[in-house]
Amino acid sequence: MDIPKTSKAMVLTEFKKPLELLDIPVPELGPGDMLIKVDLASVCGTDVHLARDELSMHPPTPIIMGHETVGEIFYLPDSVKTDITGAPVKVGDRIMWSHLFDGTCYSCKVLHEPVMCERSRGYGFSPAKELRGGYAEYEVVLAGTDFIRIPDDVTSEEAVGACCAGRTVVNAFEGLGRCGGIRPGDTVVVTGVGPVGLFAIVLAAQTGASKIIAVDVSPTRLEFSKRWGATDVINAADYKDSAEKVKYIRDLCGGRGADIVIECSGSLAVFAENLDMLAYYGKYVIVGQTSEDAVPIVPNKIQRKSAVVIGSHSGDIRHYIKCLKFVQANRKKYPFGEIISKKYKLEEANQALEDMRAGIALKAALVNK
Ligand SMILES: [Zn+2]
Ligand SMILES: [Zn+2]
């Protein structure tokens, strides 16, 4: 099969400028590299911030964004026979992949936590000429990248959530599990019900928790969260102040506060306020905060409640695998595919970013067909 000479891509040539549709030469593939034809590339909140240079990291432009990608294998080198689970792969199979971890640094070798790899090579953040982002027709998946074949009975729309939000929450639940996890009958509050919050809700819904309370300011998101397992929804905008809202939520949890609070909103004010919702011996999981800014908190609220605070970042291939299995096992029960609320052609990527920023799309996705 002939490898195409060029690939169309929507390129972030400069921060704060619209993406440009460019033809990028397909780089020469190294031994073991694969070429993928992008099927579905979903737009992450991170991309919305990256395009405006609002993140703590500032990779050099031009960049092809897109780290949540499902693609078909277009070129498969002879050396690659299976995915990381041992499932045979062939040209045309759909796959998803994690960032590339070097396997030799302290985080990889000693901590066994490749997600903190000191020399990782990411997808969706690298120089455009390397063709490693989903906002394109084709994408290079470098040799040594962990990838998994997507089962035939799982649609790309259902699977793509596992590429970022899903794997991140599965990793966070592993961290929570190391601290006792969610026990039957526990009360759980999830603040912020975008894609990350939805995965927190659906995973909590399978634990035997007695209440899963979704908090957001978007009526659409709150309505949708019920279909992912939320038992109660709270529109934060309906309360005159923080104290009234916190009291209402504490009362919903039998007056004691929540056993588990999972912060997925990214709001600093919400981060601080959530400490007031925690019950004694509560666990506070932080998975949505990306700002470098500070917010005042009262440390005694953690000490006096004997609370546990758990931070969690991203996920490695084991979390992709577990999330995808979870989606496959529960796809009849929850509308995973509907997380993609709107689809756009590749050249409409600027509109997709704008609609995400405006909250019009829960999750936008670029399609290549
Ligand atoms: Zn993402
Ligand atoms: Zn490493």
Side-chain angles (χ1 to χ4, degrees), residues 34 70-73 76 80-98 145-155 159 317 320-321 324-325 328:
M34 291 190 283
V70 170
E72 288 176 8
I73 300 175
L76 184 68
V80 179
K81 307 281 187 219
T82 68
D83 74 0
I84 191 162
T85 70
V89 288
K90 58 183 187 313
V91 168
D93 283 349
R94 289 173 307 142
I95 64 165
M96 64 170 68
W97 55 96
S98 71
T145 299
D146 296 326
F147 73 93
I148 32 174
R149 182 183 185 280
I150 295 168
D152 294 334
D153 62 341
V154 178
T155 67
I317 199 68
Y320 288 70
I321 294 169
L324 194 56
K325 280 178 191 271
Q328 187 182 20

Side-chain angles (χ1 to χ4, degrees), residues 18-224:
L19 310 186
E20 283 180 56
L21 182 66
L22 299 176
D23 283 316
I24 303 291
V26 173
E28 193 172 332
L29 299 177
D33 292 352
M34 291 190 283
L35 190 68
I36 303 302
K37 190 161 196 325
V38 175
D39 180 27
L40 191 78
S42 57
V43 176
C44 186
T46 302
D47 301 342
V48 176
H49 295 299
L50 176 63
R52 297 250 186 127
D53 202 18
E54 293 166 343
L55 297 178
S56 53
M57 59 167 173
H58 311 277
T61 53
I63 297 166
I64 302 174
M65 298 196 295
H67 57 270
E68 308 178 354
T69 312
V70 170
E72 288 176 8
I73 300 175
F74 186 84
Y75 169 75
L76 184 68
D78 288 340
S79 57
V80 179
K81 307 281 187 219
T82 68
D83 74 0
I84 191 162
T85 70
V89 288
K90 58 183 187 313
V91 168
D93 283 349
R94 289 173 307 142
I95 64 165
M96 64 170 68
W97 55 96
S98 71
H99 296 305
L100 173 58
F101 306 118
D102 76 337
T104 64
C105 72
Y106 190 87
S107 299
C108 289
K109 283 288 247 197
V110 181
L111 300 179
H112 295 277
E113 292 291 356
V115 86
M116 296 298 175
C117 178
E118 290 149 36
R119 289 180 289 271
S120 74
R121 295 179 73 186
Y123 291 87
F125 305 94
S126 61
K129 64 175 192 229
E130 296 179 11
L131 205 59
R132 283 193 285 120
Y135 293 19
E137 266 180 293
Y138 293 93
E139 185 163 359
V140 175
V141 171
L142 294 171
T145 299
D146 296 326
F147 73 93
I148 32 174
R149 182 183 185 280
I150 295 168
D152 294 334
D153 62 341
V154 178
T155 67
S156 298
E157 289 79 2
E158 290 168 334
V160 79
C163 292
C164 184
R167 54 97 154 113
T168 300
V169 177
V170 168
N171 189 12
F173 270 57
E174 273 192 8
L176 175 59
R178 288 192 288 273
C179 303
I182 301 175
R183 293 159 303 186
D186 274 354
T187 50
V188 181
V189 170
V190 177
T191 49
V193 288
V196 172
L198 286 172
F199 272 99
I201 285 169
V202 78
L203 286 173
Q206 295 294 101
T207 61
S210 61
K211 274 195 191 300
I212 300 152
I213 302 166
V215 188
D216 203 295
V217 290
S218 156
T220 321
R221 287 179 178 213
L222 287 170
E223 219 26 61
F224 195 53

